[in-house]
Amino acid sequence: MVLLGGWQLFANFAHKNEQITEGQENTMREKTITLYRRELHDRILDAAMRLFSKHGVKAVKMDDIAAELTISKRTLYETFANKELLLFECVKRNREQSRHSIDTFASQPNR
């Protein structure tokens, strides 16, 4: 999923649909922000998992993850308060992906 950069998506919608109400504008803004944050959250998890796998959890610093994504440390810390919470989310995501793979495999007919 590629997001056009927060407000640009909203501006494109507003330009095409000039007659939107203030309530619709606020709703679109909130949806755009939510979508952007969700995408950022996922990008951070992807980068952290990649770096943790390659270098080990202890060796990877939050600075390394921010640099990998070319985002500020502030943005990273606004999304994940600390490395422990980030690691917890990585483990949780990995567990969910493994569970999904196992469920998919188990649901296949015997061959």
Side-chain angles (χ1 to χ4, degrees):
M1 168 190 292
V2 176
L3 184 63
L4 290 174
W7 299 115
Q8 184 179 354
L9 181 66
F10 174 73
N12 288 347
F13 175 82
H15 179 67
K16 292 176 186 174
N17 303 291
E18 304 247 345
Q19 297 187 11
I20 59 173
T21 67
E22 187 176 328
Q24 290 171 319
E25 181 178 334
N26 290 338
T27 300
M28 278 300 297
R29 184 176 293 121
E30 290 169 14
K31 287 180 180 179
T32 302
I33 291 169
T34 301
L35 184 61
Y36 175 77
R37 286 185 180 149
R38 189 176 310 137
E39 180 186 274
L40 178 63
H41 181 272
D42 289 344
R43 287 181 55 224
I44 292 169
L45 285 177
D46 290 341
M49 290 175 76
R50 201 171 39 252
L51 290 173
F52 290 157
S53 294
K54 185 175 181 179
H55 303 289
V57 173
K58 283 188 176 184
V60 175
K61 306 211 176 324
M62 293 292 270
D63 290 354
D64 300 329
I65 297 166
E68 173 84 8
L69 294 167
T70 62
I71 61 173
S72 69
K73 289 192 304 185
R74 179 180 177 172
T75 299
L76 179 59
Y77 280 105
E78 285 175 350
T79 308
F80 293 99
N82 56 50
K83 185 175 168 182
E84 289 77 19
L85 290 174
L86 177 55
L87 179 60
F88 175 79
E89 287 294 319
C90 287
V91 170
K92 182 178 163 186
R93 180 195 241 192
N94 193 357
R95 186 184 67 208
E96 289 169 358
Q97 289 173 343
S98 295
R99 183 175 293 147
H100 177 72
S101 295
I102 291 169
D103 290 345
T104 301
F105 179 76
S107 68
Q108 293 177 354
N110 293 338
R111 294 179 184 194

